[in-house]
Amino acid sequence: RLMTDNPILRYKDNRALPSSFQGVGLFSNEFDWLSVQGGSFERAIPRTGTGAEKLTTTFGNRAYSGARISYLGATVKPGYGLEASVYASRFEDMWDQTYVGLTHRIGDKSDIALKTAFNYYHTSDSGDKNLGYIDNNAASLAFTATHLAHSLTLAWQQVFGNEYFDYVWESTGNYMANSLYSDYNGPNEKSWQLRYDLDFAAYGVPGLTASLWHAKGWDIDGTHYDGDRNGHNTGYNVRSLDGAKHNENGLMLAYVIQSGTLKNTVLRTIVYNHRASGGQIDGSYDEFRLVANVPINIF
């Protein structure tokens, strides 16, 4: 049972226990410029217990499952502020998914540091097509400028396909820029985000950070969905989505305890405000969370 962390299968840690996955994994970080991950997993262990579940999807018809998900990928850091990641995966009888990520950093935050991040996923049906036909592309581009303790991010994200951009349930296998409380991953959805981050270490309080963001998604359209053609299963219930839209505001304060018995414990306060229309999947809500992540050393 492993807590995997990569663009395809990433553990989720927003309940009493983090999720994990049952199978075999390879992790290699022998070189500063290269890291490699591979794995093959057949069960998910949910955040709410210790039993194992079949692998299903987050946004698709969860009546259908895949026997196994396997992936192989690498991240390369050739220098000059560049970083590139490529992953390929197969969720048996559900989908094949590839991921490409490119990041470039330049400058120094004592003056101005600039970060550009591009993320891209391509998902297509596989094997018995348990979720029907799938042909989905999702891409995001984010620019971040940092000066001393202050960071400002502007991001654009778009889905090209008549179904959700999807990932395995109990995972957060989504490195897209606008993966917030909502994923902004509806069929044909466009979205943007404006975000501000503050690191209080520059003001004598190491471990304390604040984040404030606004995001908006629109043009969610599933009316052209035909993934169930030729007698295949209806994998995604999206045909009623026609011009759906939504937006959210978020504020998070986080503190990492720096020393003592509770060192590395993370305390977070999160306030969400989300408004949706036209049947957008997340609905409208106001939410306040207090979260504590406490590491426990067994050995």
Side-chain angles (χ1 to χ4, degrees):
R1 292 185 172 185
L2 302 176
M3 293 168 60
T4 57
D5 190 350
N6 58 67
I8 302 299
L9 201 64
R10 185 185 191 190
Y11 74 92
K12 204 167 188 176
D13 193 15
N14 62 353
R15 294 292 186 273
L17 297 170
S19 62
S20 58
F21 301 93
Q22 183 173 302
V24 177
L26 166 70
F27 308 85
S28 175
N29 298 284
E30 299 301 316
F31 306 100
D32 292 338
W33 58 273
L34 175 66
S35 62
V36 177
Q37 285 199 42
S40 186
F41 298 88
E42 69 276 357
R43 289 289 188 274
I45 294 83
R47 295 156 288 163
T48 53
T50 58
E53 298 179 351
K54 291 182 179 180
L55 296 172
T56 57
T57 74
T58 302
F59 294 93
N61 189 334
R62 297 192 61 205
Y64 307 112
S65 62
R68 177 179 300 275
I69 185 169
S70 303
Y71 60 84
L72 180 64
T75 298
V76 180
K77 298 178 181 179
Y80 307 102
L82 291 170
E83 181 177 315
S85 298
V86 178
Y87 277 76
S89 68
R90 169 161 292 176
F91 190 8
E92 287 187 9
D93 294 323
M94 304 285 267
W95 65 57
D96 291 337
Q97 191 171 76
T98 56
Y99 166 81
V100 176
L102 298 171
T103 303
H104 181 248
R105 294 178 173 86
I106 190 172
D108 191 302
K109 67 180 183 180
S110 60
D111 186 15
I112 291 289
L114 299 175
K115 175 185 174 183
T116 303
F118 171 76
N119 293 281
Y120 168 78
Y121 287 87
H122 172 67
T123 310
S124 59
D125 49 78
S126 175
D128 289 342
K129 300 180 178 61
N130 286 348
L131 287 180
Y133 292 92
I134 300 172
D135 184 9
N136 189 282
N137 295 282
S140 70
L141 183 63
F143 301 97
T144 301
T146 301
H147 173 65
L148 299 176
H150 310 274
S151 295
L152 188 66
T153 298
L154 179 63
W156 173 269
Q157 182 170 306
Q158 190 163 352
V159 176
F160 304 89
N162 295 317
E163 60 281 302
Y164 287 99
F165 159 61
D166 206 354
Y167 49 88
V168 171
W169 176 243
E170 289 296 349
S171 162
T172 54
N174 177 1
Y175 276 22
M176 300 279 280
N178 292 348
S179 178
L180 303 166
Y181 187 95
S182 179
D183 280 313
Y184 296 87
N185 62 330
N188 300 295
E189 181 169 6
K190 305 177 184 72
S191 62
W192 62 266
Q193 176 196 176
L194 182 64
R195 181 185 183 99
Y196 171 71
D197 293 281
L198 176 62
D199 186 350
F200 285 90
Y203 300 98
V205 191
L208 180 63
T209 58
S211 299
L212 177 67
W213 66 89
H214 173 77
K216 183 176 182 178
W218 69 96
D219 279 356
I220 304 172
D221 180 8
T223 58
H224 302 290
Y225 176 75
D226 64 348
D228 52 2
R229 63 187 183 273
N230 299 330
H232 279 282
N233 299 325
T234 302
Y236 294 92
N237 182 21
V238 296
R239 287 193 173 99
S240 63
L241 297 174
D242 185 5
K245 57 186 179 180
H246 58 133
N247 65 81
E248 73 176 80
N249 300 294
L251 171 64
M252 180 171 68
L253 295 174
Y255 179 65
V256 181
I257 296 177
Q258 303 291 294
S259 60
T261 304
L262 294 177
K263 183 178 180 180
N264 295 326
T265 293
V266 182
L267 306 173
R268 286 180 293 165
T269 300
I270 312 171
V271 180
Y272 293 112
N273 163 268
H274 184 269
R275 293 293 178 267
S277 63
Q280 195 276 334
I281 194 169
D282 295 301
S284 298
Y285 61 85
D286 297 289
E287 187 170 298
F288 174 73
R289 294 187 183 188
L290 289 173
V291 182
N293 290 81
V294 183
I296 299 173
N297 293 321
I298 303 299
F299 301 105

